[in-house]
Amino acid sequence: MRDIRHLLLLSLSIALLASSACRKPAPPPPTEVVLFSAADVPLDPSHTAWQGALEFTAALIPQDLVEPRQLTPSTTAVRVRALTNGVDAAFRLEWTDPTANDLPGAARFSDACAVQLPSKIEATVPAPQMGEAGGAVEIVYWNAAWQAVVAGRSDSIKELYPNAAIDHYPFEAPSLQQSPASQQAMTTRYAPARAVGNPVAGPRTTAVQDLIAEGPGTITSAPATASRGQGVRTAAGWAVVIVRPLPKGLAANAPAQVAFAVWEGAHEEVGARKMRTDWIPLALRGNP
Amino acid sequence: MARTYNWQIQREMSYWYPESRPQRQFAAVFDINKCIACQTCTLACKTTWTSGKGQEYMLWNNVESKPYGFYPLAWDLKLLKLLGPQEWHGEVYAGRTLFEAAPAGTRVLGWRPDDQDYAYPNVGEDDCAGVIEKGASFDIPHLAWFFYLARICNHCTYPACLASCPRGSIYKRKEDGIVLVDQSRCRGYRECVQACPYKKTFFNPLTGTSEKCIACFPKFEQGLQPQCFANCIGKIRLAGWISKPEQASPDNPIDYLVHIRKVALPLFPQFGLEPNVYYVPPIHAARPFLHQMFGPQVEQAIETYRRAPDDPDLAGLLGLFGCTERVVPRWLREKDWVVGAAEDGTELVRVPLKEPVYIRAAFDTQYQVARVNCP
Ligand code: SF4
Ligand code: SF4
């Protein structure tokens, strides 16, 4: 009797094993952002090449470590795909955002996102929040208002406030039109941030900026912006591709980290008021 | 937060950075009683500094009618309400400053104006505080009143703009205490726009950085008063240097008016910023309103000012306002003359204590025309 029971149990477990082997199990969610190899890295977020990369969903947490802190959460997650052609690393960020905020103004904030990597790929990883002294991070920042300018919005107050009435700009005086150089000099004088070459000040040719930081409050423009970026509105929010040089030292056997941040303009997020991820493992992989 | 001393509220207070006073501090006195709201100052600044694209709405200098004029809309009312009761015990402020009342996660209690709030800089202009009833008579203070409040950045000793910037993009110059936004470092976060209680930092939407009054430092560095001072029709303004109260010098015009005669008072000292533009309060407006605006010394300041006709030193110094474009760091009265001098005593300007009055015959016999005599 005991032997029969044993036999029954054995056959039942074999049957269960067999049935589970027939059903295809759902793949476990990825635990790392993987840079898949591709012949080319497309800047267009809707390019089909992106379907060849597995999507990683990164949970976002409020930046509540340094003032000004973000005390109420907004965007909950950002979905990331990554591709590399061996020269560049491209990240496609997609997140849900029902309101498109791409107009600047005293109280209008732009939707934005950023990709952060340590400046050096090594065993010691800098602090995930903007790095730390001696542990620099490289950040590529994309901004919806910049994207709108790159897409053709002109550098005019009428684009922001259609009913604005302007009677005169001194640098547009007819007397100056004979002398483009002095006209340009005067125009620049009335745009102080441009006059001193602040890269955020425009005139704008790219929707992204390369930055370096060594801790909160230290973010500085990189000497030049080598990265490229393009963002588009989707039915539910934004899809943004950021293409930056492949970090030196990144190899299949060298563990690396990446972090992301998203700013929701409608929630008045800017600077330190943002949703961010912790470091996420970043891996180099062949085709999926 | 560090512990610092603020003489305007006569107590220690919390500030984001330790006390670090400049070698010299730019300061100014505005005599509200003389302002005619011609807005020449506003235009002097506008044409000099903010005629660019993205600066259209900015008025680094503005003149608003109180109690119903504001730029931006309700700037003072909103903050007074947010701050709650502001009690003084004598001349010591017993309430909370904006730094002490900072909500969790921020460095300063503040609010950010909406774009629309800047759209009506003349709202409330010349609106009286009340209606004039039948049988009303003129008295001081007036039953119904308004006055003109000219405002620039206060180049505060404890600037809220500077404290709030997480990037340290705002700095206070060691040599003159002028507060500037580093245009190469600013990333347009607008924390300063939210934090400055006087709403004197402005976001430029086309360059994406914040901008503010620079006290016309290229002029000031050359010993010249700023544009909005030099062009003031009402001669209400005097720019110079202010010392700490215990170092006040009677031959320094600003020290004399602020520290020695106490006739010029800071705007909303209870906010805790130690602002460096000082106002001679208007003599005709309601005292509780002025008390809230200029602090507990307002009665005494008005009394001193009203006695100026019998006070040749005070009247003389007030007569020096607007008489030269040069900054006058020293002054003295020589009988019926008031002299403005450079630091080394060199005479820069000399004005009579009383302007001579000439009365001409009503009819010009030479040209056979009637004359109009102006005072
Ligand atoms: S008035 Fe405002 S902008 Fe000027 S120094 Fe003070 S806090 Fe800064
Ligand atoms: S001091 Fe100069 S910059 Fe400041 S408000 Fe006056 S004119 Fe403008």
Side-chain angles (χ1 to χ4, degrees):
Chain A
M1 192 61 193
R2 239 174 88 189
D3 289 349
I4 294 172
R5 245 189 280 148
H6 265 153
L7 207 64
L8 270 175
L9 271 175
L10 189 68
S11 51
L12 192 65
S13 30
I14 288 169
L16 275 172
L17 268 174
S19 76
S20 65
C22 291
R23 252 194 287 122
K24 205 172 172 202
T31 55
E32 56 189 8
V33 173
V34 179
L35 278 159
F36 291 101
S37 295
D40 207 2
V41 287
L43 198 56
D44 178 3
S46 53
H47 197 283
T48 49
W50 289 108
Q51 283 152 23
L54 264 189
E55 190 171 80
F56 176 88
T57 301
L60 292 164
I61 51 171
Q63 185 297 111
D64 57 1
L65 297 177
V66 295
E67 272 96 2
R69 283 181 274 152
Q70 165 111 336
L71 297 180
T72 47
S74 57
T75 316
T76 53
V78 56
R79 303 193 299 283
V80 183
R81 293 171 195 254
L83 292 173
T84 178
N85 58 3
V87 179
D88 287 328
F91 298 89
R92 182 188 186 277
L93 279 61
E94 186 168 0
W95 69 97
T96 306
D97 178 357
T99 49
N101 303 102
D102 65 358
L103 281 172
R108 299 200 287 219
F109 295 88
S110 178
D111 295 328
C113 68
V115 174
Q116 174 187 283
L117 282 125
S119 290
K120 287 194 198 119
I121 307 294
E122 54 191 12
T124 342
V125 183
Q129 183 155 323
M130 319 289 290
E132 60 195 284
V137 292
E138 294 176 0
I139 294 165
V140 191
Y141 171 77
W142 171 91
N143 174 308
W146 296 354
Q147 184 70 64
V149 173
V150 172
R153 186 168 70 202
S154 80
D155 208 8
S156 155
I157 203 75
K158 283 211 172 263
E159 292 271 12
L160 310 180
Y161 305 97
N163 297 326
I166 301 105
D167 34 41
H168 175 63
Y169 293 115
F171 38 84
E172 288 180 356
S175 59
L176 278 169
Q177 275 157 18
Q178 307 310 319
S179 167
S182 48
Q183 182 165 34
Q184 187 50 47
M186 196 182 197
T187 309
T188 311
R189 267 207 304 281
Y190 280 112
R194 279 183 194 172
V196 296
N198 185 335
V200 306
R204 192 140 289 289
T205 51
T206 165
V208 296
Q209 194 197 359
D210 283 352
L211 300 157
I212 301 165
E214 281 193 81
T218 66
I219 206 163
T220 310
S221 309
T225 286
S227 305
R228 293 167 293 138
Q230 186 178 319
V232 291
R233 257 328 254 176
T234 61
W238 289 103
V240 177
V241 169
I242 287 174
V243 181
R244 55 151 291 159
L246 191 68
K248 282 191 201 79
L250 189 68
N253 55 357
Q257 316 283 327
V258 64
F260 305 97
V262 170
W263 289 262
E264 161 61 304
H267 196 228
E268 302 194 344
E269 287 168 22
V270 67
R273 302 176 193 266
K274 67 184 173 209
M275 298 298 293
R276 66 176 189 99
T277 70
D278 212 329
W279 283 126
I280 301 162
L282 176 68
L284 261 183
R285 197 75 52 79
N287 291 325
Chain B
M1 287 269 188
R3 294 300 287 170
T4 54
Y5 186 75
N6 180 332
W7 65 262
Q8 294 179 353
I9 57 172
Q10 302 210 2
R11 70 166 171 86
E12 282 199 333
M13 62 162 206
S14 300
Y15 184 65
W16 190 257
Y17 298 107
E19 187 166 337
S20 169
R21 287 175 189 268
Q23 287 138 9
R24 293 213 287 181
Q25 175 62 58
F26 163 88
V29 171
F30 289 11
D31 183 349
I32 291 179
N33 297 283
K34 295 202 278 186
C35 179
I36 55 171
C38 63
Q39 307 282 3
T40 311
C41 48
T42 309
L43 265 291
C45 181
K46 189 86 199 145
T47 52
T48 309
W49 301 117
T50 62
S51 292
K53 294 189 174 180
Q55 299 179 316
E56 294 83 351
Y57 80 100
M58 286 184 204
L59 301 174
W60 293 355
N61 177 106
N62 80 292
V63 184
E64 57 199 45
S65 302
K66 284 289 163 211
Y68 296 125
F70 317 91
Y71 172 81
L73 203 64
W75 65 272
D76 44 359
L77 300 187
K78 282 197 182 162
L79 196 60
L80 291 166
K81 196 170 171 195
L82 271 177
L83 185 57
Q86 298 136 46
E87 209 184 320
W88 292 82
H89 291 166
E91 288 178 5
V92 181
Y93 178 52
R96 292 180 309 165
T97 66
L98 299 184
F99 308 110
E100 291 158 349
T106 61
R107 300 176 181 180
V108 184
L109 173 70
W111 66 282
R112 198 184 290 108
D114 200 359
D115 298 16
Q116 288 286 316
D117 292 338
Y118 295 101
Y120 314 98
N122 286 351
V123 75
E125 190 167 73
D126 289 0
D127 277 356
C128 252
V131 287
I132 314 283
E133 299 294 347
K134 194 176 165 201
S137 59
F138 267 129
D139 242 327
I140 295 283
H142 291 179
L143 291 170
W145 51 270
F146 62 84
F147 63 88
Y148 302 123
L149 186 69
R151 303 201 299 116
I152 64 171
C153 164
N154 292 290
H155 298 279
C156 307
T157 303
Y158 300 111
C161 59
L162 185 153
S164 70
C165 178
R167 303 180 38 65
S169 300
I170 301 184
Y171 61 106
K172 187 167 175 67
R173 305 207 308 181
K174 268 279 159 235
E175 63 269 36
D176 52 20
I178 291 172
V179 177
L180 297 176
V181 178
D182 181 344
Q183 289 298 320
S184 64
R185 193 166 162 74
C186 177
R187 291 187 65 79
Y189 294 168
R190 283 153 279 174
E191 296 296 334
C192 57
V193 178
Q194 170 153 337
C196 171
Y198 306 102
K199 295 296 163 247
K200 282 298 172 188
T201 52
F202 301 89
F203 179 66
N204 181 324
L206 293 182
T207 64
T209 61
S210 294
E211 300 174 4
K212 65 179 285 299
C213 156
I214 58 173
C216 291
F217 71 81
K219 286 190 80 185
F220 206 66
E221 282 169 358
Q222 294 176 39
L224 296 174
Q225 300 198 56
Q227 288 294 73
C228 56
F229 290 65
N231 289 281
C232 174
I233 303 296
K235 299 186 173 188
I236 79 155
R237 304 179 178 213
L238 189 77
W241 308 100
I242 191 163
S243 316
K244 279 164 72 171
E246 62 275 18
Q247 290 159 359
S249 165
D251 67 347
N252 170 334
I254 306 280
D255 278 0
Y256 185 78
L257 295 169
V258 174
H259 290 315
I260 293 167
R261 304 307 305 275
K262 299 186 196 301
V263 75
L265 304 170
L267 179 62
F268 293 119
Q270 65 269 40
F271 292 165
L273 284 70
E274 227 190 86
N276 286 303
V277 175
Y278 297 85
Y279 291 90
V280 179
I283 60 171
H284 64 285
R287 297 296 191 265
F289 188 87
L290 297 180
H291 185 285
Q292 178 181 48
M293 198 168 232
F294 301 110
Q297 300 194 38
V298 79
E299 285 284 353
Q300 176 234 310
I302 288 173
E303 282 323 302
T304 308
Y305 184 76
R306 289 191 70 187
R307 286 197 300 270
D310 309 319
D311 185 337
D313 282 341
L314 181 57
L317 179 51
L318 291 169
L320 209 54
F321 281 42
C323 287
T324 171
E325 191 170 11
R326 302 285 299 272
V327 176
V328 173
R330 301 274 163 249
W331 78 288
L332 76 145
R333 182 171 67 85
E334 288 174 350
K335 295 205 179 81
D336 291 339
W337 290 86
V338 181
V339 176
E343 212 63 84
D344 63 3
T346 317
E347 184 173 317
L348 296 174
V349 65
R350 173 177 286 263
V351 292
L353 193 55
K354 283 210 171 73
E355 290 282 351
V357 176
Y358 301 98
I359 298 178
R360 303 179 299 176
F363 192 78
D364 185 326
T365 46
Q366 187 188 349
Y367 294 107
Q368 292 291 302
V369 287
R371 283 173 169 147
V372 179
N373 283 314
C374 298

